[in-house]
Amino acid sequence: MKKMQGFTLIELMIVVAIIGILAAVAIPAYTDYLRRSKVSEAVNLLGGLKTPAEEYMATKGTTQVPMISSIGGKTRGKYTSIVSNLGATDGNGYYAIMIDQNISSTADKNAVSLTYETQGKIWTCQAVVLPTGSSAIAGEYLPSSCK
C-alpha cells in the first residue's frame, strides 16, 4: 500500500486560523507603532531647535524665541508638513503639523508644540490645537517627554 504524504485539510485550516488570529493582533499594534514614530519625528524636529534658539536668545539678550530662518532650523520632514513659530497669541515657541491625518480622532491636521517659558527657561512639549484649524495629537502617540 502506498503512503500519502502531506497535510490534511483540517491541519491547513488550523494553520490559516492561527495566522489570522496573529494578524488580527499584530496589525493594530503595528499601526500604533507607525503613528508613534511619525509623531516622534515632529518632536525631534522641534527638539533640534532648542539649543540654537537658546544660543540666539543669549547672544541677542532677548527672551523671545527667534524665527526658524534666523537659526537655520529644519522646517519639514518626511511625516511633518511644516515646522514654524507659534503666533503671538499661541505662545513663545514653535509648532509642527503632521502630514498623516490619522494621528488623532479627527480628520484635521495634527499639531504638536514646543513652548519656551521665560521665567524658568523651560521648554514644554505638548499636543496643541492651533487657530489655523489643527487638532491635538492623541495622547497615546506622544513620546514620554511630551506627556
Side-chain angles (χ1 to χ4, degrees):
M1 190 185 268
K2 193 174 181 183
K3 271 191 161 178
M4 301 277 292
Q5 290 187 356
F7 297 106
T8 65
L9 181 61
I10 296 294
E11 291 171 333
L12 291 174
M13 289 175 61
I14 290 172
V15 169
V16 169
I18 291 171
I19 291 172
I21 291 169
L22 291 175
V25 171
I27 290 173
Y30 181 69
T31 304
D32 279 354
Y33 171 77
L34 284 178
R35 289 176 179 165
R36 287 175 193 263
S37 67
K38 291 175 182 180
V39 173
S40 291
E41 181 205 46
V43 172
N44 287 334
L45 287 173
L46 291 171
L49 299 171
K50 288 180 187 179
T51 302
E54 287 178 357
E55 288 178 7
Y56 182 92
M57 290 185 288
T59 303
K60 300 291 183 182
T62 181
T63 57
Q64 182 65 32
V65 297
M67 298 298 290
I68 292 178
S69 59
S70 301
I71 58 174
K74 195 169 178 186
T75 59
R76 64 184 31 209
K78 185 174 181 180
Y79 304 109
T80 308
S81 65
I82 188 167
V83 177
S84 186
N85 288 72
L86 287 169
T89 58
D90 300 319
N92 188 21
Y94 305 104
Y95 71 90
I97 295 180
M98 305 298 302
I99 292 173
D100 190 353
Q101 302 297 314
N102 298 316
I103 299 177
S104 72
S105 57
T106 65
D108 296 335
K109 296 176 181 175
N110 303 290
V112 62
S113 73
L114 183 67
T115 54
Y116 183 70
E117 180 191 321
T118 56
Q119 301 292 16
K121 297 185 179 180
I122 298 172
W123 291 94
T124 305
C125 175
Q126 61 188 0
V128 65
V129 177
L130 299 171
T132 58
S134 68
S135 62
I137 294 173
E140 67 260 18
Y141 302 127
L142 289 173
S144 60
S145 62
C146 281
K147 292 181 181 178

